[in-house]
């Protein structure tokens, strides 16, 4: 048994990466436990993985006049709950597959968006939002440690519950306007996507709760079916 960080033990990383054709295979997370209580935890301190090139995020208003956006804007720029839309679109056949959840150093653009220092840690969560057992959306959220206090502390123990549902049920939530990106599927930190050259839309924004920001980015995969 190896100590991973103060107060945590780890029994070894047994993650199974999806190199097979069935790329939606389960990711087996390391088993961490709290040294004081022996209770399992969902994450541990960890440095970033080696990511592919970061998307070129730009304010949504810079895409005005882009032909590809004209048809997709009604759903891409929708400010409602994506979780609620996906549940309706799939007639309830919806689930969250957690790929990774750990403490780490966010990317540079994420730290700037969240006004984080270069050494500020955050809880980084990557998931697939699946409808009819197909991955429709790849989502990445960054929750600064300073934001996870008070009633938001409950997000430290988030499991396979959708983060969006918890955010949109909080009446104190304020959402900052979207940033948008357009990127090839091959740029995502996912293996085995059927069409690596497919051009995908992505969006991200911050949810602010009494001066405490949380960033959520969403990339819409080839299987995604718009509701508009």
């Amino acid at each position: 048994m190896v100590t991973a960080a103060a107060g945590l033990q780890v029994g070894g990383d047994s993650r199974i990466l999806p190199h097979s054709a069935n790329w939606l295979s389960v990711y087996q997370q390391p088993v961490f436990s709290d040294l004081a209580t022996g209770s399992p935890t969902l994450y541990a301190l960890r440095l970033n993985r080696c990511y592919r090139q970061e998307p070129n995020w730009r304010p949504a208003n810079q895409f005005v006049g882009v032909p590809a956006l004209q048809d997709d804007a009604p759903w891409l720029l929708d400010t409602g709950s994506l979780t609620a839309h996906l549940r309706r679109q799939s007639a309830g056949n919806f689930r969250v597959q957690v790929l990774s959840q750990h403490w780490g150093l966010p990317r540079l653009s994420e730290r700037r968006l969240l006004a984080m220092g270069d050494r500020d840690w955050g809880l980084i969560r990557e998931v697939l939002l699946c409808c009819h057992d197909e991955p429709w959306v790849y989502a990445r959220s960054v929750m600064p440690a300073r934001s996870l206090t008070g009633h938001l502390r409950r997000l430290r123990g988030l499991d396979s519950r959708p983060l969006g549902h918890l955010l949109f049920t909080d009446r104190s939530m304020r959402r900052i306007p979207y940033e948008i990106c357009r990127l090839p599927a091959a740029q995502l930190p996912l293996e085995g996507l059927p069409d690596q050259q497919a051009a995908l839309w992505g969006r991200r924004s911050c949810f602010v709760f009494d001066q405490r920001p949380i960033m959520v980015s969403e990339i819409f995969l080839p299987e995604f079916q718009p509701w508009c």
Side-chain angles (χ1 to χ4, degrees):
M1 192 72 71
V2 180
T3 301
L8 292 174
Q9 285 186 333
V10 59
D13 188 345
S14 55
R15 167 180 288 191
I16 300 173
L17 293 176
H19 291 300
S20 64
N22 181 18
W23 72 280
L24 193 54
S25 57
V26 174
Y27 281 62
Q28 185 177 351
Q29 296 295 332
V31 178
F32 292 92
S33 61
D34 187 302
L35 289 177
T37 66
S39 300
T41 64
L42 291 175
Y43 48 80
L45 292 172
R46 191 175 88 182
L47 293 176
N48 270 359
R49 293 176 292 165
C50 182
Y51 286 100
R52 302 176 186 181
Q53 182 181 356
E54 185 175 0
N56 180 23
W57 297 101
R58 293 187 288 161
N61 59 15
Q62 293 187 12
F63 284 85
V64 174
V66 175
L69 183 60
Q70 293 181 5
D71 293 335
D72 297 334
W75 59 265
L76 183 62
L77 303 181
D78 187 293
T79 57
S81 168
L82 177 60
T83 298
H85 282 305
L86 293 180
R87 279 178 167 156
R88 286 194 296 269
Q89 189 74 353
S90 65
N93 194 345
F94 168 83
R95 67 181 177 89
V96 176
Q97 179 177 334
V98 179
L99 303 179
S100 175
Q101 185 164 307
H102 63 276
W103 290 100
L105 297 175
R107 302 169 183 170
L108 176 60
S109 73
E110 294 170 341
R111 296 199 302 271
R112 288 175 174 172
L113 190 64
L114 291 162
M116 297 175 66
D118 290 342
R119 298 184 180 182
D120 289 346
W121 288 72
L123 182 57
I124 301 171
R125 171 179 163 93
E126 295 172 90
V127 304
L128 293 174
L129 305 182
C130 302
C131 296
H132 304 292
D133 287 326
E134 293 183 335
W136 282 20
V137 179
Y138 163 73
R140 173 182 166 94
S141 59
V142 178
M143 297 170 268
R146 60 183 168 82
S147 294
L148 299 179
T149 59
H151 74 285
L152 293 183
R153 188 177 181 83
R154 59 180 176 162
L155 299 181
R156 292 171 178 252
L158 195 63
D159 45 25
S160 60
R161 290 170 294 172
L163 174 62
H165 175 74
L166 298 176
L167 298 181
F168 276 89
T169 55
D170 192 316
R171 294 184 178 180
S172 67
M173 185 269 286
R174 175 174 59 89
R175 191 171 196 174
I176 293 176
Y178 286 123
E179 290 184 337
I180 303 296
C181 72
R182 186 79 161 164
L183 76 164
Q187 196 170 321
L188 291 176
L190 299 171
E191 299 288 345
L193 283 173
D195 184 357
Q196 292 287 304
Q197 299 307 313
L200 308 177
W201 282 115
R203 68 184 191 184
R204 74 176 182 181
S205 67
C206 283
F207 296 83
V208 182
F209 305 84
D210 191 24
Q211 309 300 318
R212 291 173 293 172
I214 291 174
M215 188 217 75
V216 177
S217 62
E218 298 151 342
I219 308 296
F220 297 88
L221 301 176
E223 293 84 356
F224 171 72
Q225 298 178 19
W227 55 85
C228 297

